[in-house]
Amino acid sequence: MELQGTVKKIFDPQTFASGFQKREMVILTQEQYPQPINIEFLSDKISLLDNLKEGENVKVGINIRGREWVSPQGETKYFNSITGWRVEKVFENGSEPTQAAPSQSASPVSNENPFAGDDDDDLPF
């Protein structure tokens, strides 16, 4: 899945006692009712956020993960997380590749039908 929006906040990396690392980013979606979406980047993916700045438009490849947790009282709860695995900067106007203009030295193109004078019809039907 993908989410597209504007980078609202990039948090510092967190390292836990087990050596596990994560870094979070919040993007603001670009829709009628913009939503701030928190996305986690885990382990080796945290470096994807190094070259981003707040305010940039991005497209983020995500996975949605869910887990079940049973409290000590026996109550079952469910949690979701959004994990990022790819980030692309999205550029506004002018980012599309430009097409080369036709060369002026090219031979003129004829609009005449090359088969117009051909009365010999080879078709078997």
Side-chain angles (χ1 to χ4, degrees):
M1 298 179 76
E2 288 183 342
L3 284 176
Q4 187 168 332
T6 304
V7 176
K8 183 173 181 157
K9 180 81 175 153
I10 299 174
F11 295 93
D12 292 330
Q14 297 174 304
T15 303
F16 299 91
S18 65
F20 174 75
Q21 292 184 315
K22 81 173 185 176
R23 190 171 184 188
E24 296 176 326
M25 170 178 70
V26 177
I27 67 168
L28 191 62
T29 61
Q30 300 166 342
E31 48 196 357
Q32 183 178 1
Y33 300 106
Q35 302 291 311
I37 306 292
N38 187 57
I39 304 170
E40 299 177 328
F41 291 81
L42 309 176
S43 301
D44 61 331
K45 300 296 183 186
I46 66 172
S47 63
L48 294 175
L49 303 180
D50 290 346
N51 296 323
L52 294 180
K53 295 183 180 104
E54 294 177 7
E56 290 183 311
N57 290 326
V58 293
K59 186 186 300 183
V60 184
I62 61 165
N63 291 326
I64 298 177
R65 298 186 178 186
R67 64 183 179 279
E68 181 180 282
W69 177 72
V70 180
S71 72
Q73 295 79 24
E75 184 181 6
T76 303
K77 294 196 177 212
Y78 297 92
F79 298 92
N80 299 319
S81 63
I82 300 173
T83 306
W85 54 272
R86 182 188 67 208
V87 177
E88 296 176 26
K89 291 183 182 182
V90 177
F91 299 99
E92 295 302 319
N93 296 336
S95 66
E96 290 83 22
T98 56
Q99 292 182 340
S103 171
Q104 295 298 327
S105 64
S107 60
V109 177
S110 172
N111 288 334
E112 294 180 30
N113 182 352
F115 304 107
D118 191 5
D119 292 332
D120 185 20
D121 190 358
D122 303 28
L123 298 176
F125 48 88

